[in-house]
Amino acid sequence: MPSRTVSHGSSGRLRGLFLMMVLVFLESSVFTLAFASSDQHSPTTAHSDGRKATDHGSHNNTGKAFPVLDLNYENVRVPFEISLWVLLASLMKLGFHLVPHLSNIVPESCLLIVVGLLVGGIIRGTGETVPPVLDSKLFFYILLPPIILDAGYFLPIRPFMENLGTILIFAVVGTLWNAFFVGGLLYGVCQIGTESSSILSRIGLLQCLLFGSIISAVDPVAVLAVFEEIHINELLHILVFGESLLNDAVTVVLYHLFEEFSGIGTVTLVKGFLGVISFFVVALGGVLVGVLYGILAAFTSRFTSHTRVIEPLFVFLYSYMAYLSAEIFHLSGIMALIACGAVMRPYVEANISHKSHTTIKYFLKMWSSVSETLIFIFLGVATVAGPHDWNWTFVTVTVILCLVARVIGVVGLTFIINKFRIVKLTTKDQFIIAYGGLRGAIAFSLGFLLEKDHFPEREIFLTAIITVIFFTVFVQGMTIKPLVELLAVKKKQEAKRSINEEIHTQFLDHLLTGIEDICGHYGHHHWKDKLNRFNKKYVKKCLIAGERSKEPQLIAFYHKMEMKQAIQLVESGGGIKLPSAMPSTVSMQNIQPRPPTKPAAERAIPQLSKTKEEEIRKILRTNLQRTRQRLRSYNRHTLVADPYEDGLSDLFLKKQKMFQIEKKLKEMNTYLTVPAPPPDSPTMCRARLASGKHTDFKPDQVQKGNKMCSDPQAYSIKPALNKVPMIQVDLASPQSPDSVNLLDEFGQANQQEEEEQGLMMKPPSRPREGKKPGEEDEAKDQQKLMRCLSDPGPSADEDEDGAFLP
Amino acid sequence: MGSRASRLLREEEIEEIKKETGFSHSQITRLYSRFTSLDKGENGTLSREDFQRIPELAINPLGDRIINAFFPEGEDQVNFRGFMRTLAHFRPIEDNEKNKNPSATEPLNSRTNKLLFAFRLYDLDRDDKISRDELLQVLRMMVGVNISDEQLGSIADRTIQEADTNGDSCISFNEFIKASFVVNIHICTVVFSFLS
């Protein structure tokens, strides 16, 4: 949507901005009204409950006319308020992109906090008490899981595993160091620096350590929010982000440990030892719970081929249950969620349909985005809500200590880590890692959870926590982008993963495993290889349905790439203009000597006039529509798979056709006297439909040498496009089984003799020697087809453009 | 006893290997003991069968090619020097080495040499080009027997198309370097630190 507003120019943006402000004002006024009226209504709940008021006492409704329009806010109060908050958050998100230049200077998280402050201020200004919105239960059970699941499901496994040692050291040792350093020094400052009667000196060591453990954890939400906008290189991103995820275990253990200790009051060595053990239990237990649920989810997805509509639900439910189950036992819920998402992803994605995959992706992104926005707004509101107890010494010492501890921790740990890393971390990297240690809402919620009677200094803690959060988010968040530019830190490479990389990566894996085996060393590659082998042999067979369990990773990757390109092809206008960005369809440069730039490519394609292009497009659209209208009625529970209605099959054909044309043209370039017809020429349209065996079209017998077969489409376009030159392209080469087996539904007749036809669909001309491999392939491809097409979605009509969107 | 003594590594040899390959003293001695344990014939050289006796290499798709990479052109035996020379390709890249001797030949573990080693594993006929057939062979080894030839063919075509810039439908060494630039070259490194 931002792109559309940009195209309208600045006036459009200003208009949108103005509208936005109006909406926001309206909404905040509704908010305050809601709060005001809620107070008014609460004493009169009896009145509102009596919707069937006729039964109540005589003071109700005697002599009153039947209420045509009645105001009853109390019943919908809670959902209404929740929706208002979410709406506010979403509108804010929209608004930021409309204001020019704002999103470049200030990260979104800062703006959202400011908005929260404003809303809190408005609510307080109208005299109402600000609701305690950042309730810990709400935060930990509703707001946090979507963000973590989104992170875990899309976690880049390879860089994460490669750097796992580094990440673990930063997460565990770094957090421990931070906690003890900050807590211990704070205690020292409190005891020494102030008079003995002041409130600070009454804070015990354990309380300080508890505070240290709360404040020392790097927050994944804040890190995500800020790092998302600076597009830093993958290594740094995964290091800081991984650390923020994995330090949850440490935080949980330390928090419970110190909370319990400060309740009891005595610390023994045994208890300390138990604390260490509990760390391992919490971390590994969380991961175990996550893995268990992940495997369950993968196993369930194996059987969902007939009810594709609820596939995404399984993913979300199992993950949420993993989180909740871990929380039951006080294990690390975040690690459970990450483990669940990461484990289930490869298997679930092999099983579910393409649309479910898109659904999962977009739901996760949507929920995590809204959650993040809400969290920051609530932080702002909670700041206004208080209660606060500002203590200059405590707060400033905390902020300074946090910074110092982080820097020392990162530098010291990197010095040790670099001895074991192949790619060393440079000073620049260290700076970014230290600077990216942002604190966020988790710290606040943990502080909020403290009980007032155990911790009389709770307000001081909360104030300090909020100050640190504000400092890191505002100061560090705002300045990290210019610093990244200034230090010329490597940015994220935008290159997409190509088939070359995939092959090369696997090749190198095998090579290095071999070298390690020759040296007799059981290193990193050896174990990775063993895990892959185990995965291929046993796990994949259990968890992936059907033939896909045997699919090698390379082939799966290739298919994914082909699918993406097919979708891109249609999005770019059906291939009439070949975008030079797509390598495998850049064909014409093989004919032209030099340069293979865009003008050359366009020169080779005949320049159809605009009207003709439009006609071709219209024809294609009507064709696709017409096939859809032939759908039988269906119900939600049994989605009838009609292969013709999904445009994906057409895309595959189109793409394969283009590939074939380009190959043929390359071989025939010296004989080319007329340019090739555009890939969407009427020959192709007709050919695609004419060879249909099960369609209702029933074309007449295709005549040899005559491309004008009589199907309805041909008649409509023939007069308009007979001027387009066509060439007979001899498709002697066997087509790839991908495209062909998709066509098995179209035509299976042995059409060897129709080779002179030119652009006609054909089954593979390979000899049918081994029936078995052929059958396997066909079965596999059929299944591939069914996976793509078996799930038309809830409604065929709105599916029209849905299939073509990535 | 006498024959045993001759198989111990002499100091001068260690020094020479150190200079040529860059391995440390302890790494060289450790690898030498591995070499002797592989050398069942006890004649100071390894043959192809000695390598094939390593069980994990047998199931490695590239096992044969890796073994071949150790043996220089046309020979059937490799001595310890050759063994170390090949293994030296996999040492970590040391940036400071570049500054020491700008005129000297590149160290064996430089980025280019690592890539050249990998390239030679694809390019069996040593014509400095990876042709479609050579690529197909490698793909076939990595992917197994279940995939049809046509499918592999289309993958190979696509790969060549992506990498090929001069249009000869083969991948030359320069194109190979460019195509794999995103793959972090530190991958082509085995951590030998266990040896020291």
Side-chain angles (χ1 to χ4, degrees), chain A residues 428-466:
Chain A
K428 262 195 258 173
D429 294 337
Q430 290 173 40
F431 177 74
I432 296 291
I433 295 177
Y435 209 67
L438 303 169
R439 312 317 199 251
I442 291 188
F444 181 78
S445 307
L446 283 177
F448 206 76
L449 270 178
L450 294 172
E451 286 161 44
K452 181 81 183 176
D453 29 348
H454 282 170
F455 297 92
E457 51 278 326
R458 179 173 173 263
E459 273 111 38
I460 305 180
F461 283 178
L462 277 181
T463 315
I465 292 175
I466 288 193

mmCIF file of all heavy atoms in Angstrom, chain A residues 428-466:
data_model
loop_
_atom_site.group_PDB
_atom_site.id
_atom_site.type_symbol
_atom_site.label_atom_id
_atom_site.label_comp_id
_atom_site.label_asym_id
_atom_site.label_seq_id
_atom_site.Cartn_x
_atom_site.Cartn_y
_atom_site.Cartn_z
ATOM 1 N N LYS A 428 34.435 -3.744 14.761
ATOM 2 C CA LYS A 428 33.168 -3.171 14.314
ATOM 3 C C LYS A 428 32.019 -4.082 14.721
ATOM 4 O O LYS A 428 30.995 -3.630 15.226
ATOM 5 C CB LYS A 428 33.182 -3.029 12.782
ATOM 6 C CG LYS A 428 33.533 -1.646 12.312
ATOM 7 C CD LYS A 428 33.177 -1.494 10.855
ATOM 8 C CE LYS A 428 34.436 -1.614 10.017
ATOM 9 N NZ LYS A 428 34.126 -1.628 8.580
ATOM 10 N N ASP A 429 32.214 -5.383 14.484
ATOM 11 C CA ASP A 429 31.172 -6.338 14.850
ATOM 12 C C ASP A 429 30.891 -6.254 16.336
ATOM 13 O O ASP A 429 29.746 -6.256 16.766
ATOM 14 C CB ASP A 429 31.614 -7.760 14.506
ATOM 15 C CG ASP A 429 31.745 -7.965 13.018
ATOM 16 O OD1 ASP A 429 31.106 -7.220 12.267
ATOM 17 O OD2 ASP A 429 32.491 -8.875 12.619
ATOM 18 N N GLN A 430 31.960 -6.201 17.116
ATOM 19 C CA GLN A 430 31.775 -6.158 18.557
ATOM 20 C C GLN A 430 31.009 -4.926 18.978
ATOM 21 O O GLN A 430 30.155 -4.978 19.864
ATOM 22 C CB GLN A 430 33.136 -6.155 19.261
ATOM 23 C CG GLN A 430 33.853 -7.470 19.153
ATOM 24 C CD GLN A 430 35.252 -7.370 19.705
ATOM 25 O OE1 GLN A 430 35.441 -6.719 20.724
ATOM 26 N NE2 GLN A 430 36.192 -7.990 19.046
ATOM 27 N N PHE A 431 31.323 -3.827 18.316
ATOM 28 C CA PHE A 431 30.617 -2.607 18.681
ATOM 29 C C PHE A 431 29.126 -2.738 18.416
ATOM 30 O O PHE A 431 28.293 -2.368 19.242
ATOM 31 C CB PHE A 431 31.193 -1.426 17.900
ATOM 32 C CG PHE A 431 30.487 -0.153 18.162
ATOM 33 C CD1 PHE A 431 30.665 0.516 19.351
ATOM 34 C CD2 PHE A 431 29.595 0.373 17.234
ATOM 35 C CE1 PHE A 431 29.996 1.690 19.608
ATOM 36 C CE2 PHE A 431 28.929 1.540 17.486
ATOM 37 C CZ PHE A 431 29.130 2.209 18.675
ATOM 38 N N ILE A 432 28.798 -3.277 17.248
ATOM 39 C CA ILE A 432 27.382 -3.402 16.912
ATOM 40 C C ILE A 432 26.702 -4.374 17.865
ATOM 41 O O ILE A 432 25.569 -4.138 18.306
ATOM 42 C CB ILE A 432 27.218 -3.875 15.454
ATOM 43 C CG1 ILE A 432 27.775 -2.833 14.510
ATOM 44 C CG2 ILE A 432 25.767 -4.149 15.139
ATOM 45 C CD1 ILE A 432 26.982 -1.571 14.455
ATOM 46 N N ILE A 433 27.386 -5.456 18.204
ATOM 47 C CA ILE A 433 26.773 -6.409 19.125
ATOM 48 C C ILE A 433 26.517 -5.755 20.469
ATOM 49 O O ILE A 433 25.464 -5.906 21.079
ATOM 50 C CB ILE A 433 27.665 -7.648 19.310
ATOM 51 C CG1 ILE A 433 27.770 -8.415 17.998
ATOM 52 C CG2 ILE A 433 27.106 -8.558 20.377
ATOM 53 C CD1 ILE A 433 28.685 -9.588 18.080
ATOM 54 N N ALA A 434 27.499 -4.986 20.941
ATOM 55 C CA ALA A 434 27.317 -4.336 22.234
ATOM 56 C C ALA A 434 26.223 -3.283 22.159
ATOM 57 O O ALA A 434 25.384 -3.167 23.049
ATOM 58 C CB ALA A 434 28.638 -3.711 22.685
ATOM 59 N N TYR A 435 26.236 -2.539 21.056
ATOM 60 C CA TYR A 435 25.272 -1.456 20.935
ATOM 61 C C TYR A 435 23.869 -1.986 20.699
ATOM 62 O O TYR A 435 22.888 -1.305 20.993
ATOM 63 C CB TYR A 435 25.676 -0.552 19.767
ATOM 64 C CG TYR A 435 25.250 0.869 19.929
ATOM 65 C CD1 TYR A 435 25.801 1.665 20.908
ATOM 66 C CD2 TYR A 435 24.281 1.417 19.105
ATOM 67 C CE1 TYR A 435 25.409 2.973 21.061
ATOM 68 C CE2 TYR A 435 23.878 2.717 19.249
ATOM 69 C CZ TYR A 435 24.443 3.501 20.231
ATOM 70 O OH TYR A 435 24.054 4.790 20.387
ATOM 71 N N GLY A 436 23.790 -3.200 20.164
ATOM 72 C CA GLY A 436 22.473 -3.716 19.846
ATOM 73 C C GLY A 436 21.817 -4.428 21.009
ATOM 74 O O GLY A 436 20.793 -5.077 20.836
ATOM 75 N N GLY A 437 22.393 -4.330 22.169
ATOM 76 C CA GLY A 437 21.800 -5.000 23.312
ATOM 77 C C GLY A 437 20.684 -4.175 23.904
ATOM 78 O O GLY A 437 20.856 -3.505 24.918
ATOM 79 N N LEU A 438 19.516 -4.253 23.286
ATOM 80 C CA LEU A 438 18.420 -3.396 23.714
ATOM 81 C C LEU A 438 17.575 -4.103 24.757
ATOM 82 O O LEU A 438 17.396 -5.310 24.694
ATOM 83 C CB LEU A 438 17.531 -3.056 22.520
ATOM 84 C CG LEU A 438 18.250 -2.395 21.345
ATOM 85 C CD1 LEU A 438 17.338 -2.358 20.153
ATOM 86 C CD2 LEU A 438 18.681 -1.009 21.707
ATOM 87 N N ARG A 439 17.083 -3.322 25.681
ATOM 88 C CA ARG A 439 16.140 -3.912 26.656
ATOM 89 C C ARG A 439 14.730 -3.533 26.256
ATOM 90 O O ARG A 439 14.523 -2.526 25.594
ATOM 91 C CB ARG A 439 16.386 -3.397 28.071
ATOM 92 C CG ARG A 439 17.781 -3.386 28.607
ATOM 93 C CD ARG A 439 18.558 -4.609 28.308
ATOM 94 N NE ARG A 439 19.697 -4.746 29.174
ATOM 95 C CZ ARG A 439 20.950 -4.593 28.772
ATOM 96 N NH1 ARG A 439 21.219 -4.255 27.550
ATOM 97 N NH2 ARG A 439 21.929 -4.770 29.634
ATOM 98 N N GLY A 440 13.794 -4.335 26.665
ATOM 99 C CA GLY A 440 12.442 -4.062 26.218
ATOM 100 C C GLY A 440 11.387 -4.480 27.211
ATOM 101 O O GLY A 440 11.607 -4.536 28.414
ATOM 102 N N ALA A 441 10.247 -4.837 26.654
ATOM 103 C CA ALA A 441 9.068 -5.019 27.486
ATOM 104 C C ALA A 441 9.148 -6.228 28.389
ATOM 105 O O ALA A 441 8.450 -6.290 29.403
ATOM 106 C CB ALA A 441 7.845 -5.118 26.589
ATOM 107 N N ILE A 442 9.978 -7.213 28.027
ATOM 108 C CA ILE A 442 10.078 -8.397 28.904
ATOM 109 C C ILE A 442 10.602 -7.975 30.268
ATOM 110 O O ILE A 442 10.099 -8.410 31.307
ATOM 111 C CB ILE A 442 10.994 -9.456 28.277
ATOM 112 C CG1 ILE A 442 10.325 -10.046 27.047
ATOM 113 C CG2 ILE A 442 11.280 -10.557 29.276
ATOM 114 C CD1 ILE A 442 11.059 -11.226 26.463
ATOM 115 N N ALA A 443 11.593 -7.107 30.252
ATOM 116 C CA ALA A 443 12.139 -6.637 31.521
ATOM 117 C C ALA A 443 11.054 -5.942 32.335
ATOM 118 O O ALA A 443 10.916 -6.161 33.550
ATOM 119 C CB ALA A 443 13.313 -5.699 31.265
ATOM 120 N N PHE A 444 10.275 -5.113 31.657
ATOM 121 C CA PHE A 444 9.227 -4.394 32.375
ATOM 122 C C PHE A 444 8.211 -5.361 32.970
ATOM 123 O O PHE A 444 7.807 -5.233 34.130
ATOM 124 C CB PHE A 444 8.527 -3.412 31.449
ATOM 125 C CG PHE A 444 7.454 -2.627 32.121
ATOM 126 C CD1 PHE A 444 7.779 -1.555 32.930
ATOM 127 C CD2 PHE A 444 6.123 -2.977 31.983
ATOM 128 C CE1 PHE A 444 6.788 -0.844 33.573
ATOM 129 C CE2 PHE A 444 5.136 -2.271 32.621
ATOM 130 C CZ PHE A 444 5.465 -1.198 33.422
ATOM 131 N N SER A 445 7.791 -6.335 32.168
ATOM 132 C CA SER A 445 6.778 -7.269 32.667
ATOM 133 C C SER A 445 7.293 -8.079 33.833
ATOM 134 O O SER A 445 6.563 -8.342 34.779
ATOM 135 C CB SER A 445 6.342 -8.210 31.556
ATOM 136 O OG SER A 445 5.956 -7.480 30.442
ATOM 137 N N LEU A 446 8.555 -8.481 33.737
ATOM 138 C CA LEU A 446 9.116 -9.235 34.851
ATOM 139 C C LEU A 446 9.145 -8.374 36.106
ATOM 140 O O LEU A 446 8.854 -8.847 37.212
ATOM 141 C CB LEU A 446 10.529 -9.711 34.513
ATOM 142 C CG LEU A 446 10.598 -10.904 33.570
ATOM 143 C CD1 LEU A 446 12.042 -11.220 33.250
ATOM 144 C CD2 LEU A 446 9.934 -12.105 34.206
ATOM 145 N N GLY A 447 9.476 -7.105 35.932
ATOM 146 C CA GLY A 447 9.474 -6.228 37.088
ATOM 147 C C GLY A 447 8.070 -6.039 37.633
ATOM 148 O O GLY A 447 7.862 -5.976 38.844
ATOM 149 N N PHE A 448 7.113 -5.958 36.733
ATOM 150 C CA PHE A 448 5.726 -5.767 37.135
ATOM 151 C C PHE A 448 5.222 -6.939 37.963
ATOM 152 O O PHE A 448 4.349 -6.794 38.815
ATOM 153 C CB PHE A 448 4.871 -5.609 35.874
ATOM 154 C CG PHE A 448 3.635 -4.823 36.090
ATOM 155 C CD1 PHE A 448 3.702 -3.445 36.201
ATOM 156 C CD2 PHE A 448 2.406 -5.442 36.179
ATOM 157 C CE1 PHE A 448 2.562 -2.710 36.395
ATOM 158 C CE2 PHE A 448 1.269 -4.709 36.371
ATOM 159 C CZ PHE A 448 1.341 -3.339 36.480
ATOM 160 N N LEU A 449 5.794 -8.129 37.668
ATOM 161 C CA LEU A 449 5.330 -9.328 38.358
ATOM 162 C C LEU A 449 5.735 -9.356 39.820
ATOM 163 O O LEU A 449 5.189 -10.125 40.604
ATOM 164 C CB LEU A 449 5.917 -10.571 37.676
ATOM 165 C CG LEU A 449 5.109 -11.192 36.550
ATOM 166 C CD1 LEU A 449 5.891 -12.359 35.982
ATOM 167 C CD2 LEU A 449 3.779 -11.681 37.061
ATOM 168 N N LEU A 450 6.711 -8.542 40.169
ATOM 169 C CA LEU A 450 7.186 -8.590 41.545
ATOM 170 C C LEU A 450 6.076 -8.197 42.505
ATOM 171 O O LEU A 450 5.306 -7.273 42.240
ATOM 172 C CB LEU A 450 8.378 -7.636 41.727
ATOM 173 C CG LEU A 450 9.651 -8.004 40.963
ATOM 174 C CD1 LEU A 450 10.664 -6.890 41.084
ATOM 175 C CD2 LEU A 450 10.221 -9.292 41.491
ATOM 176 N N GLU A 451 6.055 -8.868 43.623
ATOM 177 C CA GLU A 451 5.017 -8.536 44.579
ATOM 178 C C GLU A 451 5.465 -7.424 45.498
ATOM 179 O O GLU A 451 6.622 -7.362 45.900
ATOM 180 C CB GLU A 451 4.674 -9.760 45.418
ATOM 181 C CG GLU A 451 3.879 -10.783 44.662
ATOM 182 C CD GLU A 451 3.987 -12.117 45.368
ATOM 183 O OE1 GLU A 451 3.873 -12.103 46.612
ATOM 184 O OE2 GLU A 451 4.217 -13.115 44.699
ATOM 185 N N LYS A 452 4.516 -6.587 45.814
ATOM 186 C CA LYS A 452 4.878 -5.393 46.566
ATOM 187 C C LYS A 452 5.336 -5.739 47.974
ATOM 188 O O LYS A 452 6.234 -5.099 48.532
ATOM 189 C CB LYS A 452 3.654 -4.466 46.613
ATOM 190 C CG LYS A 452 3.877 -3.189 47.342
ATOM 191 C CD LYS A 452 4.584 -2.166 46.494
ATOM 192 C CE LYS A 452 4.819 -0.965 47.367
ATOM 193 N NZ LYS A 452 5.518 0.100 46.914
ATOM 194 N N ASP A 453 4.731 -6.756 48.583
ATOM 195 C CA ASP A 453 5.098 -7.021 49.979
ATOM 196 C C ASP A 453 6.478 -7.646 50.116
ATOM 197 O O ASP A 453 7.164 -7.433 51.104
ATOM 198 C CB ASP A 453 4.036 -7.909 50.666
ATOM 199 C CG ASP A 453 3.354 -8.817 49.657
ATOM 200 O OD1 ASP A 453 3.541 -8.580 48.447
ATOM 201 O OD2 ASP A 453 2.626 -9.721 50.078
ATOM 202 N N HIS A 454 6.876 -8.405 49.094
ATOM 203 C CA HIS A 454 8.223 -8.931 49.167
ATOM 204 C C HIS A 454 9.244 -7.888 48.785
ATOM 205 O O HIS A 454 10.383 -7.931 49.222
ATOM 206 C CB HIS A 454 8.365 -10.131 48.218
ATOM 207 C CG HIS A 454 7.777 -11.376 48.777
ATOM 208 N ND1 HIS A 454 7.621 -12.517 48.016
ATOM 209 C CD2 HIS A 454 7.300 -11.685 49.986
ATOM 210 C CE1 HIS A 454 7.078 -13.460 48.756
ATOM 211 N NE2 HIS A 454 6.875 -12.966 49.954
ATOM 212 N N PHE A 455 8.806 -7.003 47.922
ATOM 213 C CA PHE A 455 9.745 -6.039 47.371
ATOM 214 C C PHE A 455 9.200 -4.638 47.559
ATOM 215 O O PHE A 455 8.541 -4.087 46.679
ATOM 216 C CB PHE A 455 9.968 -6.294 45.873
ATOM 217 C CG PHE A 455 10.583 -7.624 45.594
ATOM 218 C CD1 PHE A 455 9.785 -8.715 45.339
ATOM 219 C CD2 PHE A 455 11.956 -7.770 45.596
ATOM 220 C CE1 PHE A 455 10.361 -9.954 45.089
ATOM 221 C CE2 PHE A 455 12.524 -8.995 45.345
ATOM 222 C CZ PHE A 455 11.732 -10.093 45.098
ATOM 223 N N PRO A 456 9.485 -4.054 48.683
ATOM 224 C CA PRO A 456 8.997 -2.687 48.891
ATOM 225 C C PRO A 456 9.584 -1.694 47.910
ATOM 226 O O PRO A 456 9.009 -0.638 47.661
ATOM 227 C CB PRO A 456 9.417 -2.365 50.323
ATOM 228 C CG PRO A 456 10.483 -3.342 50.653
ATOM 229 C CD PRO A 456 10.225 -4.566 49.849
ATOM 230 N N GLU A 457 10.730 -2.045 47.359
ATOM 231 C CA GLU A 457 11.352 -1.103 46.431
ATOM 232 C C GLU A 457 10.897 -1.336 44.999
ATOM 233 O O GLU A 457 11.579 -0.963 44.045
ATOM 234 C CB GLU A 457 12.876 -1.210 46.510
ATOM 235 C CG GLU A 457 13.382 -2.617 46.366
ATOM 236 C CD GLU A 457 13.326 -3.427 47.661
ATOM 237 O OE1 GLU A 457 13.515 -2.844 48.739
ATOM 238 O OE2 GLU A 457 13.089 -4.629 47.582
ATOM 239 N N ARG A 458 9.765 -1.947 44.855
ATOM 240 C CA ARG A 458 9.279 -2.305 43.518
ATOM 241 C C ARG A 458 9.164 -1.095 42.620
ATOM 242 O O ARG A 458 9.523 -1.150 41.439
ATOM 243 C CB ARG A 458 7.920 -2.980 43.652
ATOM 244 C CG ARG A 458 7.288 -3.394 42.354
ATOM 245 C CD ARG A 458 6.042 -4.198 42.668
ATOM 246 N NE ARG A 458 5.278 -4.512 41.484
ATOM 247 C CZ ARG A 458 4.229 -3.822 41.073
ATOM 248 N NH1 ARG A 458 3.853 -2.752 41.738
ATOM 249 N NH2 ARG A 458 3.564 -4.185 39.997
ATOM 250 N N GLU A 459 8.705 0.018 43.174
ATOM 251 C CA GLU A 459 8.514 1.160 42.290
ATOM 252 C C GLU A 459 9.824 1.729 41.804
ATOM 253 O O GLU A 459 9.927 2.175 40.653
ATOM 254 C CB GLU A 459 7.731 2.270 42.990
ATOM 255 C CG GLU A 459 6.252 2.105 42.853
ATOM 256 C CD GLU A 459 5.618 1.762 44.166
ATOM 257 O OE1 GLU A 459 6.080 2.330 45.167
ATOM 258 O OE2 GLU A 459 4.710 0.928 44.182
ATOM 259 N N ILE A 460 10.806 1.705 42.693
ATOM 260 C CA ILE A 460 12.108 2.198 42.259
ATOM 261 C C ILE A 460 12.608 1.339 41.110
ATOM 262 O O ILE A 460 13.121 1.837 40.104
ATOM 263 C CB ILE A 460 13.119 2.164 43.430
ATOM 264 C CG1 ILE A 460 12.575 2.926 44.603
ATOM 265 C CG2 ILE A 460 14.449 2.711 42.979
ATOM 266 C CD1 ILE A 460 13.506 2.946 45.785
ATOM 267 N N PHE A 461 12.444 0.043 41.297
ATOM 268 C CA PHE A 461 12.887 -0.876 40.247
ATOM 269 C C PHE A 461 12.177 -0.568 38.936
ATOM 270 O O PHE A 461 12.796 -0.461 37.881
ATOM 271 C CB PHE A 461 12.590 -2.330 40.657
ATOM 272 C CG PHE A 461 13.535 -2.879 41.661
ATOM 273 C CD1 PHE A 461 13.363 -4.163 42.138
ATOM 274 C CD2 PHE A 461 14.599 -2.133 42.130
ATOM 275 C CE1 PHE A 461 14.237 -4.682 43.073
ATOM 276 C CE2 PHE A 461 15.469 -2.637 43.060
ATOM 277 C CZ PHE A 461 15.295 -3.920 43.536
ATOM 278 N N LEU A 462 10.844 -0.429 39.030
ATOM 279 C CA LEU A 462 10.081 -0.220 37.801
ATOM 280 C C LEU A 462 10.525 1.054 37.092
ATOM 281 O O LEU A 462 10.666 1.085 35.879
ATOM 282 C CB LEU A 462 8.589 -0.148 38.109
ATOM 283 C CG LEU A 462 7.906 -1.501 38.233
ATOM 284 C CD1 LEU A 462 6.442 -1.332 38.524
ATOM 285 C CD2 LEU A 462 8.077 -2.277 36.948
ATOM 286 N N THR A 463 10.707 2.084 37.889
ATOM 287 C CA THR A 463 11.125 3.335 37.263
ATOM 288 C C THR A 463 12.465 3.163 36.567
ATOM 289 O O THR A 463 12.668 3.636 35.439
ATOM 290 C CB THR A 463 11.239 4.441 38.327
ATOM 291 O OG1 THR A 463 10.105 4.377 39.172
ATOM 292 C CG2 THR A 463 11.348 5.791 37.673
ATOM 293 N N ALA A 464 13.374 2.501 37.277
ATOM 294 C CA ALA A 464 14.692 2.318 36.667
ATOM 295 C C ALA A 464 14.594 1.471 35.409
ATOM 296 O O ALA A 464 15.231 1.776 34.378
ATOM 297 C CB ALA A 464 15.635 1.662 37.675
ATOM 298 N N ILE A 465 13.770 0.425 35.469
ATOM 299 C CA ILE A 465 13.643 -0.433 34.291
ATOM 300 C C ILE A 465 13.116 0.381 33.112
ATOM 301 O O ILE A 465 13.631 0.297 31.988
ATOM 302 C CB ILE A 465 12.702 -1.618 34.585
ATOM 303 C CG1 ILE A 465 13.341 -2.558 35.598
ATOM 304 C CG2 ILE A 465 12.380 -2.376 33.318
ATOM 305 C CD1 ILE A 465 12.422 -3.669 36.027
ATOM 306 N N ILE A 466 12.090 1.171 33.398
ATOM 307 C CA ILE A 466 11.509 1.954 32.300
ATOM 308 C C ILE A 466 12.535 2.921 31.737
ATOM 309 O O ILE A 466 12.626 3.128 30.522
ATOM 310 C CB ILE A 466 10.248 2.688 32.786
ATOM 311 C CG1 ILE A 466 9.139 1.682 32.972
ATOM 312 C CG2 ILE A 466 9.866 3.766 31.812
ATOM 313 C CD1 ILE A 466 7.794 2.295 33.139
#
